[in-house]
Amino acid sequence: RTAVLAARGRGVDVVPVALERERLDAERHQLGGGVPLWDSPERLRRHHPAKHEDGLRGVLLRALGHHPILVIGVSVLDMLISAVRLRGLGTRETCFLGFVGFMTGCNELVFKRWAMEPRPDHSCNFSCGFPSGHSVMSCGFFMLMFLDAVFRTMPRVPLTLADARDQEKATAGRTTFFGWTIREIFVSNIRAGLTFMPLSRAHTLNQTDFCFFALAWGVVLLPVPFSRTVLNDHTPKQVMLGSLIGLTEAVMYFGLMRIMQQNYNHLLGQRVFGAFVHNFPLPVYEAISKTCKVLAKAEEPPHGSATSPKVPLSLQMQRLHGELEWYIKQLEPTCTWASFDEDGIVAAREMGRLQGLQDDIERRLEVEGLGLAKLADDSASSDERAPGSALWARAV
């Protein structure tokens, strides 16, 4: 208002910003929607100076606003690369892009249509401002990454005397930083985070992997909501509520994703519904824990009043045997092409543990008079009694 009065005192005809917005809004509706009509770059600069801020600060602010869109673009690229490698669409990539579609649909078709709240006066955009779509996506991506990485983290430390001796031999004479070797600080973290989307490609992370992965994605995603307020594209309320919506949607979607992983982890490496290949596993320690629980149940004497499980224990053991085989295949390249001695030692230790559980399953099935081959034949002839067993029988 002061600038308008000063300009009029100098004899310059200036239209107030509010009246100019009303005129441009009327023109936009007459044309049936579309991009607002700005008559000149000078007028755009006057109405939205932050958009045209010069210098490094302006470049960084404008770049931060494009980070969520960039993450979606490179995730599509990651999906295409995995599709060529797997000869099918990976379930990991499909889950993340499904989350993008879920957030976009809720934001554009539900919240913005319900709130119909305008953007700040100095914004170039005339679309609804509540909630901030960039804040929803950036905070949602980070929360989904954080929850998935937390559930995959297993500290990489020796838990037995033999493991400690092997690690001491492998790291003898090597430079350490607060107890971490150069390999643990750099090589492991880069290999674990070698992905274009906020879902780790590794089925299990150690503590340094988690720190590196969370820090990298936090630097990329967390500053985005702040940039939206500095650029006057959204009010602080729109940004804060948008961030809260993104966090809530990520928690809900992660819960659904976990249920799907736990129910279909036995299909790892297999083609699902023709076009998809299951490559989004549970962490290896969950597969080990589940195997131990099933073996413990199989050793218990049957009780007359106990209800029978939905999936027979014999079929559960068969599925777990296949799951463990998939994890073993993931460890084989590390044992063969280990760049550091501790890589090969840890991989060999994990392979020995998984193979031992496989032997326990085979012995238990032999005690019950069943073998893996016989179970596969029985599964193929009992599609109605054991839903989903036919797919596993074909794979075996």
Side-chain angles (χ1 to χ4, degrees):
R1 188 178 302 169
T2 303
V4 169
L5 294 176
R8 285 178 176 174
R10 295 193 302 269
V12 179
D13 185 17
V14 178
V15 180
V17 173
L19 296 178
E20 184 71 3
R21 284 178 61 87
E22 291 179 3
R23 183 185 71 81
L24 294 173
D25 193 39
E27 292 183 5
R28 183 172 68 90
H29 285 294
Q30 290 175 2
L31 294 175
V35 181
L37 302 175
W38 297 96
D39 296 341
S40 64
E42 289 76 13
R43 181 169 296 167
L44 176 58
R45 289 175 182 272
R46 185 172 70 249
H47 286 200
H48 202 334
K51 283 282 189 182
H52 296 270
E53 185 176 352
D54 297 327
L56 180 61
R57 182 170 179 265
V59 173
L60 291 177
L61 288 173
R62 291 190 291 271
L64 284 173
H66 293 87
H67 279 186
I69 309 302
L70 181 62
V71 170
I72 296 174
V74 296
S75 299
V76 173
L77 177 62
D78 195 345
M79 182 185 69
L80 295 177
I81 295 175
S82 298
V84 174
R85 181 171 56 87
L86 300 173
R87 297 182 181 179
L89 299 176
T91 53
R92 180 183 75 98
E93 296 79 12
T94 305
C95 281
F96 179 72
L97 294 179
F99 179 57
V100 173
F102 169 68
M103 285 195 304
T104 303
C106 291
N107 195 54
E108 300 297 329
L109 302 179
V110 179
F111 294 113
K112 287 194 174 183
R113 291 177 180 268
W114 168 72
M116 295 296 291
E117 184 175 313
R119 293 174 182 263
D121 291 338
H122 292 285
S123 176
C124 299
N125 300 321
F126 282 84
S127 61
C128 296
F130 177 84
S132 169
H134 289 74
S135 301
V136 170
M137 287 192 290
S138 60
C139 291
F141 292 167
F142 180 81
M143 178 56 72
L144 186 67
M145 175 281 305
F146 186 83
L147 292 174
D148 183 71
V150 164
F151 276 78
R152 295 186 182 280
T153 301
M154 182 177 67
R156 185 177 178 178
V157 293
L159 299 177
T160 64
L161 182 59
D163 295 343
R165 289 170 179 167
D166 292 338
Q167 185 168 346
E168 286 296 325
K169 292 179 182 179
T171 59
R174 293 192 175 175
T175 303
T176 60
F177 181 74
F178 292 106
W180 293 341
T181 63
I182 301 299
R183 177 249 172 228
E184 291 176 323
I185 297 174
F186 295 104
V187 178
S188 173
N189 299 332
I190 294 175
R191 186 170 58 196
L194 192 61
T195 177
F196 294 129
M197 64 176 56
L199 291 177
S200 175
R201 192 182 298 274
H203 59 75
T204 307
L205 304 173
N206 60 37
Q207 61 272 33
T208 56
D209 298 338
F210 170 77
C211 293
F212 173 83
F213 200 61
L215 179 62
W217 283 106
V219 170
V220 172
L221 295 172
L222 291 183
V224 173
F226 301 100
S227 70
R228 307 308 292 169
T229 58
V230 176
L231 292 174
N232 289 322
D233 269 329
H234 293 281
T235 63
K237 183 191 76 171
Q238 294 171 351
V239 167
M240 288 189 293
L241 292 179
S243 302
L244 182 61
I245 290 173
L247 296 176
T248 305
E249 291 175 347
V251 172
M252 295 170 55
Y253 194 84
F254 177 74
L256 176 62
M257 196 168 64
R258 285 280 300 177
I259 293 174
M260 299 295 289
Q261 284 180 314
Q262 291 172 350
N263 290 336
Y264 297 101
N265 200 55
H266 62 280
L267 298 178
L268 283 171
Q270 301 179 37
R271 190 170 296 275
V272 184
F273 299 116
F276 302 96
V277 177
H278 192 9
N279 66 336
F280 196 29
L282 291 171
V284 66
Y285 67 85
E286 288 196 36
I288 293 174
S289 175
K290 188 165 56 173
T291 303
C292 294
K293 290 179 181 179
V294 171
L295 288 173
K297 288 181 181 179
E299 293 177 355
E300 294 179 356
H303 299 283
S305 60
T307 58
S308 59
K310 294 182 179 180
V311 180
L313 289 177
S314 57
L315 182 58
Q316 292 185 39
M317 287 189 285
Q318 177 197 16
R319 291 177 173 180
L320 288 170
H321 191 280
E323 289 182 35
L324 298 177
E325 185 66 28
W326 184 90
Y327 289 103
I328 290 174
K329 289 181 180 179
Q330 305 303 308
L331 290 171
E332 287 177 352
T334 306
C335 293
T336 306
W337 304 100
S339 303
F340 295 85
D341 293 338
E342 57 263 41
D343 279 334
I345 291 174
V346 172
R349 183 172 68 221
E350 292 297 325
M351 285 183 63
R353 181 183 302 174
L354 296 175
Q355 290 171 348
L357 288 174
Q358 281 187 321
D359 295 339
D360 292 339
I361 291 175
E362 293 173 2
R363 283 194 294 267
R364 187 62 198 177
L365 292 175
E366 290 177 359
V367 168
E368 296 182 2
L370 298 172
L372 291 176
K374 185 177 185 303
L375 278 174
D377 295 337
D378 294 343
S379 301
S381 60
S382 60
D383 294 343
E384 296 181 358
R385 290 185 289 105
S389 61
L391 178 61
W392 178 251
R394 287 194 295 269
V396 173

